[in-house]
Amino acid sequence: MQLVSIEGGRVNYEDFEECGALDFYGPLCMLDMMEDVCIGLTDTPVVSNRGTDLEKAMTQVRKTSLFQEIVMHVQNDLQTALLAAPAEYEALRKEYGQYTIIPEQYAARMLEY
C-alpha cells in the first residue's frame, strides 16, 4: 500500500491528479453544526440568544461524551482516509455514506433537527 502524505499543505503522491479532490473543509463544517445539534440532543441550557451564552453552551457540549464520541469517529475516519491508497477511495466513500456518526440512542431526536 502506498501512502499519501501531506506536507506544508501539499499532497505528496505521484498520481494525485487522478485521485480526485481531498476535502477537509466538510468535516470542520459538520463539527461546527454538530455543536449546535448536540446542544439540543444533550438538553444543554442556553440562557439567551446572546453570543456569550451560546458559546458557554457550546463549551459545555464539547465536554459531553456524545460530542467527544462524534469527534473520535470523525478523527478516525479522516485518519483512515489519509492513509488509504487511491484504489480504496471509492470503497471508503460508499462505507462512509452508509452510516451515521450519531450514536443510535440519539438518532430519533436527531431527526427533529
Side-chain angles (χ1 to χ4, degrees), residues 27-44:
L28 293 174
C29 290
M30 189 268 313
L31 284 174
D32 286 343
M33 179 201 70
M34 289 311 303
E35 287 177 336
D36 291 333
V37 171
C38 288
I39 286 173
L41 292 177
T42 60
D43 296 319
T44 301

Side-chain angles (χ1 to χ4, degrees), residues 51-68:
T52 55
D53 290 332
L54 182 59
E55 185 56 41
K56 287 177 188 175
M58 287 183 176
T59 298
Q60 287 179 315
V61 161
R62 288 182 205 115
K63 295 176 184 177
T64 64
S65 60
L66 169 63
F67 189 77
Q68 291 175 9

